[in-house]
Structure formats: structure tokens, C-alpha cells
Amino acid sequence: VDGLCFRRSKSRALHRNRHSSPNQRLWRQQAGWRASRRCCNRELRDPTRQLIYSATGANFVRTMLRLAQTRDEIAVVDDQRGGPTSATDVASAVIQIAMNLVLRPEPELRGVFHLSTDSDLSWADFAEAIFAASAQRNGPSARVRRISSADYSSVAKRPANSCLNGAKLRSHHAVKLMPWRRALEQCLDLMDRHLDATSIPGKSLLS
């Protein structure tokens, strides 16, 4: 939630101990986050990025591939940046963090940490990477038409830069997520191996 709730336009990734300036509309939608801040001295909270994707469910990767099945060109915002993060990678990291918390009593292992890749991409950059990786697998692809945030209708204003710095998590828990391109390729491989309920019955999304 950090990447969405904090109002920032800085060019560098947000560090965990930096003072936060909330985006009021999204902040009101994240009451649970405020509650977690009050008890984080006893527990670990790991706010992840706004762009979490996986081989199943509703997410940006699957939406792009679904649209590419029927469109030659897709408009994607190019002036908002972040770090796409695989849900599979997040799950593995959370397991490692949980084991650390069970086995080690150090208080510095508890608190608020950023769990995110170190990538710095616009939505349009990531869409092009998705289509390139899909095309290599003979899957759907499309041209990306880069647009500004002003050209895209959204209920809440999203920050221009929602990159997060995961240095604290790496130093305290020895957790480092895989490079974003490798994680994306892993996700597409999983999609290619499993049936997709929203596609043609008996076909994978990338067939």
C-alpha cells in the first residue's frame, strides 16, 4: 500500500524510515494500514507495491494478455513508475521472514519493511516487456501506445513514482526478490502450463 498511499513525486525509491505524506483518498481506503502502524512494534508489516501480479487472478499481466487477444494496440500510462512484483516471489519472501521471526528474537526483525523488486518501470515499460516475453512463447502481443495519466480515467490519483527501497528488508531478513524480468518469465511459464478459466476451455492463456 505504500506506493499508493504516499503522495510523492521524487525520482528515487522511498525508504522505509522516510516520513510519509499520505495521498488522502487512498489513505482513507487503507484504515487497516493505519491500525498496523500502531502495533508494528510487536509485529512485522510488509507493505508491498501497487503492481503485484501472478499467473492467476485479476492483475496487470493477465489483463494485458487478455486485451492483446483482441486488440492490435493498447494504451498504457507512461508517466507513473513503480516496481512490478511477482506474488510467487512475495509468498516465498514472506515464508522466509516468518521463519526468521519464529527462530530469532531480535526486535529489529519486527516493524515495517518494504517488500518489492528494485525495478523502476512505467506501466507502459512493463506492458512492452510482457508482450515481448509473450511473443517469444507464441502468445498474444500488441503494440503499446504510451499515454499520460491525464489521458487515463481513474477514481484516485496515483503517484508518479511509487518505487520502494527494500534495503532494510535485505539487511535485516536477508530477503532479496529475483530480478523482475526473470520473475515475469516465470509467471508466463506458469500461465502457459496451467489452464485458464477465463480463456477458451481446455486452452491456456498463452496458447
Side-chain angles (χ1 to χ4, degrees):
V1 297
D2 263 2
L4 284 173
C5 288
F6 299 151
R7 187 189 301 114
R8 325 186 263 116
S9 58
K10 300 286 186 180
S11 60
R12 56 186 184 274
L14 179 71
H15 285 261
R16 177 52 265 160
N17 54 4
R18 182 184 165 192
H19 178 69
S20 305
S21 175
N23 176 319
Q24 292 301 325
R25 180 184 292 272
L26 288 166
W27 187 247
R28 286 194 296 268
Q29 296 173 0
Q30 298 290 346
W33 169 244
R34 283 174 287 174
S36 74
R37 291 293 300 272
R38 292 193 292 269
C39 63
C40 68
N41 60 321
R42 300 187 306 277
E43 303 176 15
L44 177 136
R45 304 287 171 177
D46 55 349
T48 52
R49 311 252 0 191
Q50 59 170 315
L51 212 172
I52 298 289
Y53 64 89
S54 68
T56 60
N59 59 76
F60 185 75
V61 172
R62 286 168 53 84
T63 296
M64 289 296 101
L65 294 174
R66 175 176 54 79
L67 293 176
Q69 290 177 327
T70 57
R71 301 183 189 179
D72 295 327
E73 182 179 86
I74 300 172
V76 186
V77 170
D78 189 41
D79 58 0
Q80 296 176 9
R81 307 190 69 80
T85 304
S86 164
T88 301
D89 223 7
V90 170
S92 298
V94 168
I95 291 173
Q96 182 176 342
I97 293 168
M99 291 177 63
N100 289 344
L101 294 177
V102 170
L103 299 175
R104 298 167 56 190
E106 297 97 314
E108 60 268 22
L109 295 181
R110 290 150 178 82
V112 181
F113 295 79
H114 287 157
L115 177 53
S116 168
T117 62
D118 288 333
S119 54
D120 180 359
L121 306 171
S122 71
W123 293 85
D125 292 335
F126 191 45
E128 287 186 342
I130 293 167
F131 295 142
S134 176
Q136 291 178 350
R137 294 163 171 76
N138 297 317
S141 64
R143 294 187 306 275
V144 172
R145 177 164 57 87
R146 294 172 179 262
I147 63 173
S148 69
S149 301
D151 296 323
Y152 179 76
S153 177
S154 178
V155 175
K157 182 179 180 181
R158 296 174 183 268
N161 175 24
S162 58
C163 295
L164 303 179
N165 187 303
K168 180 181 175 183
L169 186 65
R170 289 193 296 272
S171 65
H172 287 63
H173 284 277
V175 168
K176 183 177 181 179
L177 305 187
M178 72 174 68
W180 71 269
R181 286 189 184 276
R182 190 189 309 167
L184 173 61
E185 291 170 356
Q186 181 186 77
C187 176
L188 295 185
D189 288 342
L190 287 172
M191 294 175 70
D192 210 16
R193 290 200 299 266
H194 292 83
L195 298 182
D196 180 70
T198 65
S199 186
I200 301 173
K203 299 286 186 180
S204 70
L205 185 62
L206 299 183
S207 62

